[in-house]
Amino acid sequence: MKLSYYTDSLAHLSLEEVLQHITKQGVFHIELATGGWSPAPHINLQELLSSETAVLKLQNLLDTYQVEIVALNCSGNPLDPREIGERHREVTINTFKLAQILGVKKIVMMSGLPPASPQDEMPNWITTTMSWPPELKEALTYQWEEVAIPYWRELVPIAKQHGIKKIALENHGTQLVYNSETLLRLRNSVDSIIGMNLDPSHMFWMGGDPIQSARKLEGAIHHMHGKDLRIEDAPVSLNTILETKDIYDTKNRAWNYVAVGHGHDLQWWKTFFSVVRMCGYDDFVSLEMEDFTMQPEDGVNISIKALQQVVV
């Protein structure tokens, strides 16, 4: 496996400054954000689609620092019925187009989350038993059978038309696909081009085991995020793991994203990547750093050094 870097973690820097920062530390591959939830701070997607000069400028910049784009990331909610869903669906298609221009074969996304019925406007993440209240079963069936699966069955052929080989869905909370079971349900219903962007940090707060998830997803891991998380014992013991506080309220939260090694030690990470390789994944691991207890550059530096010891 090789280490890559997800550009949003240094959103306040220019793309050239990001490249300078990571290449000094021996990282020469990036996962580039194009929009969706991300403001895409480092590129103008529309400009790249309409201007050969803009594409050439980007390619020259990458060549200067000997950096390669290994994936484009357009994570958002394409299943939202509101205007934001329309925007995210448009970004998705445009990201496919840009991938074809740049020769990128992998797209990182999220599955999206629909509302609970055709009358609803707000996406609804159903995470409790369907036995009670009974309307939950009807809602979940609607989300899968009438929204998600039809959307993805339409989207996959478009991706293939643009040369996309892999769509990696992040196992993020508040998405219809958030674990191995839901990923495999969508993959088996649509196409094997769909796989997991396995991000251990989300598994931690949802109570799962990323190592066992990797075993279950053998052959279906398309990408990985190197991102750590720490469970904060005192808040959890009082309020449970369920968390609605602002992500910047780190002192009072039940869990926090942290620099790699600050939630789980390097022995855990070595075991994790060993199992991932054993299960057939030997591609890129993108550092995503969202530790709000420190400056972004510090968190990136710490995480790169940690991952370089375990991603081999």
Side-chain angles (χ1 to χ4, degrees), residues 94-138:
N94 285 337
T95 298
F96 291 171
K97 294 177 181 178
L98 180 62
Q100 185 171 24
I101 292 171
L102 298 177
V104 176
K105 303 299 183 182
K106 184 192 294 185
I107 305 296
V108 179
M109 298 179 60
M110 294 180 189
S111 65
L113 180 69
S117 76
Q119 292 74 41
D120 289 347
E121 293 186 355
M122 184 64 67
N124 193 319
W125 193 34
I126 300 171
T127 57
T128 188
T129 174
M130 291 193 299
S131 300
W132 190 90
E135 57 266 26
L136 289 181
K137 183 175 183 179
E138 181 180 346

Side-chain angles (χ1 to χ4, degrees), residues 21 26 73 97 101 113 120 146 167 210 236 251 288 309:
H21 191 91
N73 188 314
K97 294 177 181 178
I101 292 171
L113 180 69
D120 289 347
E146 297 189 41
I167 298 176
V236 168
K251 183 178 179 180
E288 183 181 13
Q309 297 179 65

Side-chain angles (χ1 to χ4, degrees), residues 5 36 56 69 82 92 107 113 218 220 248 264 279 305 307:
Y5 173 74
L56 183 60
I69 300 173
R82 299 169 297 175
T92 298
I107 305 296
L113 180 69
E218 183 172 357
Y248 297 104
H264 296 77
C279 292
K305 289 179 182 177
L307 287 172

Side-chain angles (χ1 to χ4, degrees), residues 243 245-256 292:
E243 182 60 82
K245 294 182 178 65
D246 190 284
I247 198 167
Y248 297 104
D249 187 14
T250 55
K251 183 178 179 180
N252 297 305
R253 286 177 55 82
W255 52 267
N256 288 294
F292 299 116

